[in-house]
Amino acid sequence: MALDAEAAPAAELALSDTDINWNRLDKTKFHIIGAILFTAQSALLHPTAVVKTRMQVDGSGLSHMRGVSVFWKILKSDGVSGLYRGFGTSAIGSLPGRVLALTSLEVSKDIMLKYTENLEMPEATRVGLANGVAGMISNLVSCIYYVPLDVVCQRLMVQGLPGTTYCNSPLDVVRKVMKAEGFRGLYRGFGLTAVTQSPASALWWGVYGAAQHIIWRSLGYRDSMEKKPSHMEMVTVQATAGMVAGACSSVITTPVDTVKTRLQVIDNYGIGRPSVLKTSRALLKEDGWVGFYRGFGPRFLNMSLYGTTMIVTYELISSKMPGLTIGDTIPNIQADSTHGKISLYDYLGDSWGIIFSHPGDFTPVCTTELGMMAAQAEEFSKRGVKLIGLSCDDVQSHTEWIKDIEAFNKGKKVTYPILADPKREIIKQLNMVDPDEKDPSGGAVPSRALHIIGPDKKVKLSFLYPASTGRNIDEVLRVLESLQKAAKHKVATPVNWKPGSKCVISPSVSNEQAKQMFPNGYETMELPSKKEYLRFTDV
């Protein structure tokens, strides 16, 4: 009877689910699969990075040639290896950097969405703003890691060009830079990167988020529609949004990237250690303002395809995910309720919690269920448990409905809060969406689901019932006590266990340990296998 909530059918998704929702991902799987796909993408695009870098740095012929011509020139003179200078360092060195960048990205985006949820602004603007700020913060956090990596990789890419120092390996680059300038040499261009790349990242993510929502709505999709986009449509729209973001970002950021690249790899212009000002003046002298757009084509290609691998990785994993389930950390929901504004973590504190959804207010089965929860509230309180109801109706509706609930169970007050989720965001976060039922407008409705949450904020058990079947509150109390006993003692509860009956001792506990842990003793059942694993005790 206890089932994990099921995911919505893979063939179609709610429009709001087309946004990247990092907190639902298995991060280990994401980073493992992402490492493979990112490395494959890097292998495909690395030659464009080499072409761009050499075009930006070379003050003679290459800077005035088309990107395709530079590609063939490098291939002819240096072979395939010339197009992959610095690839190993970049591919291996980027792995921990991506973990750092994506982790900071998801955290900061969640915070921004939370703090903008009550602002009066179009949804596309809100999502674009959250993506933009998250991109900026993520870039600042990862900058300290990536700048030295860029210095090493780009110096390997430009070997043999005028003004550069010859190095035969990544370690040789580090050694020569440290010898010449000390540790600060590895952070050439850090200030320029920190000041400019964060807005560039914010621009990319902001345009990406806004463009995606605009495209969906131009295609006629809405959250309230029966028709939902397929996975193929979703990936196509996301890729298109990425192209738009790359185009906007590369036009604005290429001049800064050109200066930064030259600053990081050219050791002198005959006038001492390079600086942003010296580098800009030298570039102006060589090519005029057009010189700041050296390597624009290859850079545009790189930035346009920047998010493709991440999106594909997300889709590969999320399409196989069951949603919030046992062992997952429940998100810190912020919502209006019949008890005012609630932060889930603050409300729960160090207590156990039960959050239960219902299809709708003023419905017969739901009224009896919430009435019984009210009647048993004292029993839950004795066990250190806090209750929370949830549906997509608003607070005013909940408040009026409570009168009916209390009338059903005369003398029993509804003392627990009921959360309002009119935008249907919480039920999606908690995997409480009914896969079959829809409201009259075609929108998602909550399933008859229930999560038991431990003091560590992890889901310990989930129930999912069809709309026609009310939950058994006595069963909820039974499994709750079972979970609490298992958490406190190294025991489990056998078939048809009831509070007060014997538990079984965990196989991980030896007989010697059991004698100390269970001073009242235990009984070992004799089995044909002669193995002493079925041990019963009172706790």
Side-chain angles (χ1 to χ4, degrees), residues 229-537:
S230 67
H231 281 291
M232 181 58 69
E233 288 177 307
M234 186 167 65
V235 171
T236 301
V237 169
Q238 288 172 333
T240 303
M243 289 287 288
V244 173
C248 293
S249 188
S250 58
V251 167
I252 295 172
T253 62
T254 294
V256 175
D257 182 70
T258 301
V259 173
K260 176 186 73 77
T261 301
R262 290 170 67 89
L263 180 63
Q264 289 179 330
V265 302
I266 297 179
D267 289 318
N268 67 76
Y269 298 98
I271 51 175
R273 186 178 187 273
S275 67
V276 174
L277 187 58
K278 291 177 182 177
T279 302
S280 300
R281 286 175 175 171
L283 192 57
L284 276 170
K285 184 177 180 180
E286 289 176 17
D287 268 346
W289 291 104
V290 177
F292 287 93
Y293 277 90
R294 287 180 179 180
F296 173 77
R299 179 171 169 78
F300 168 76
L301 180 61
N302 264 289
M303 296 199 72
S304 296
L305 298 176
Y306 171 78
T308 303
T309 301
M310 177 185 60
I311 293 165
V312 171
T313 304
Y314 176 82
E315 289 305 319
L316 282 174
I317 299 172
S318 63
S319 64
K320 305 297 181 182
M321 287 174 56
L324 189 75
T325 187
I326 294 174
D328 291 346
T329 299
I330 196 163
N332 186 21
I333 300 300
Q334 316 280 329
D336 293 322
S337 78
T338 51
H339 288 194
K341 188 79 172 180
I342 277 186
S343 166
L344 182 61
Y345 284 10
D346 290 341
Y347 174 74
L348 292 177
D350 295 326
S351 302
W352 286 72
I354 295 179
I355 185 165
F356 50 97
S357 60
H358 56 276
D361 296 356
F362 302 104
T363 54
V365 177
C366 299
T367 300
T368 62
E369 284 187 316
L370 272 72
M372 187 53 65
M373 279 292 195
Q376 296 282 28
E378 187 175 343
E379 290 299 317
F380 286 110
S381 181
K382 288 178 183 177
R383 293 162 173 80
V385 178
K386 294 182 178 180
L387 304 175
I388 314 163
L390 167 66
S391 88
C392 294
D393 299 286
D394 58 32
V395 172
Q396 184 178 353
S397 174
H398 290 339
T399 302
E400 291 297 316
W401 182 41
I402 284 175
K403 299 173 184 177
D404 290 359
I405 297 171
E406 293 176 344
F408 171 74
N409 270 335
K410 289 183 172 56
K412 300 295 182 182
K413 296 291 184 180
V414 176
T415 58
Y416 52 83
I418 304 176
L419 303 183
D421 185 26
K423 294 183 180 179
R424 293 165 169 76
E425 294 176 346
I426 300 174
I427 61 170
K428 292 170 184 174
Q429 283 185 279
L430 301 186
N431 197 20
M432 289 177 158
V433 178
D434 193 305
D436 300 315
E437 298 295 326
K438 303 288 181 184
D439 66 15
S441 66
V445 297
S447 59
R448 206 175 293 285
L450 178 149
H451 295 313
I452 296 181
I453 308 158
D456 58 358
K457 307 299 184 293
K458 293 186 181 295
V459 177
K460 304 300 180 183
L461 180 143
S462 294
F463 282 112
L464 176 64
Y465 285 77
S468 60
T469 303
R471 286 162 285 204
N472 186 323
I473 308 306
D474 290 334
E475 171 64 3
V476 177
L477 282 165
R478 185 190 79 87
V479 296
L480 171 66
E481 191 161 331
S482 170
L483 290 168
Q484 291 182 328
K485 283 186 180 295
K488 186 176 181 181
H489 311 283
K490 288 192 174 181
V491 297
T493 53
V495 63
N496 293 334
W497 177 86
K498 294 180 181 179
S501 58
K502 293 181 182 296
C503 300
V504 292
I505 300 172
S506 171
S508 64
V509 178
S510 67
N511 287 335
E512 291 72 21
Q513 291 173 324
K515 291 174 184 178
Q516 297 177 355
M517 295 173 63
F518 307 102
N520 293 330
Y522 61 89
E523 299 173 3
T524 302
M525 183 174 181
E526 292 187 8
L527 300 168
S529 65
K530 305 300 181 184
K531 296 181 180 180
E532 298 179 342
Y533 62 86
L534 201 51
R535 299 168 294 176
F536 295 87
T537 187

Side-chain angles (χ1 to χ4, degrees), residues 115-137:
Y115 282 106
T116 58
E117 63 183 353
N118 294 322
L119 296 181
E120 293 295 331
M121 65 172 65
E123 185 66 12
T125 303
R126 177 171 170 259
V127 172
L129 177 63
N131 276 299
V133 173
M136 182 178 292
I137 294 173

